[in-house]
Amino acid sequence: CYGDGDMDRPVAFVQANLAEVRKFAVGAGVDGAADMADEDLCANPVVNAGVLASLQAAAKAGKLSSNEKIVAVTVISGLGPETGACAKNSPWTPENLALTASNKLQRKVIQKVWAAELEAMKQKAIR
């Protein structure tokens, strides 16, 4: 989940459970979902909309206020390198510097690696 002073509502990067995402995509009728490459599946707009809908349903059930509800997501496969330089498809780990040694988010790394995705989501978070 990400928010800053320029945004009215939060956005989120979500690491996919690929088996569940694929099952959802097949059930939602995404063309070729059963054989689609994992990265393409994560980038699919129907998949992203489904993940967002799931998070929004949980927010509604939890009676979150409108400024606490996630308004945009980017789904990440988590199949990239766990060590070395963090890549767009990497899981977030201390070994690739996306997290600190105590598992706190390294904001600047995330902002740099996912700058384009973050900017696109930020536009949806500003009323």
Side-chain angles (χ1 to χ4, degrees):
C1 187
Y2 178 87
D4 67 28
D6 296 333
M7 300 163 42
D8 301 306
R9 300 165 294 171
V11 298
F13 290 99
V14 177
Q15 184 173 322
N17 174 330
L18 292 170
E20 290 300 315
V21 168
R22 190 169 306 282
K23 186 166 51 172
F24 166 80
V26 168
V30 173
D31 194 34
D35 301 316
M36 193 177 287
D38 293 332
E39 298 301 332
D40 294 337
L41 191 63
C42 290
N44 186 282
V46 173
V47 168
N48 278 263
V51 170
L52 178 59
S54 177
L55 291 171
Q56 289 175 333
K60 185 175 181 178
K63 299 182 181 173
L64 297 181
S65 68
S66 63
N67 66 334
E68 296 174 305
K69 294 177 183 172
I70 293 172
V71 296
V73 298
T74 296
V75 178
I76 301 168
S77 71
L79 296 175
E82 293 184 23
T83 60
C86 190
K88 286 190 179 204
N89 63 345
S90 290
W92 294 358
T93 67
E95 293 78 20
N96 66 18
L97 305 178
L99 301 175
T100 67
S102 59
N103 288 328
K104 294 179 182 170
L105 189 67
Q106 293 274 26
R107 262 176 113 82
K108 292 188 186 218
V109 172
I110 302 306
Q111 289 169 333
K112 180 180 177 186
V113 173
W114 286 275
E117 293 81 0
L118 186 55
E119 191 57 38
M121 288 193 299
K122 280 176 132 180
Q123 297 309 310
K124 295 176 183 175
I126 299 170
R127 292 183 204 195

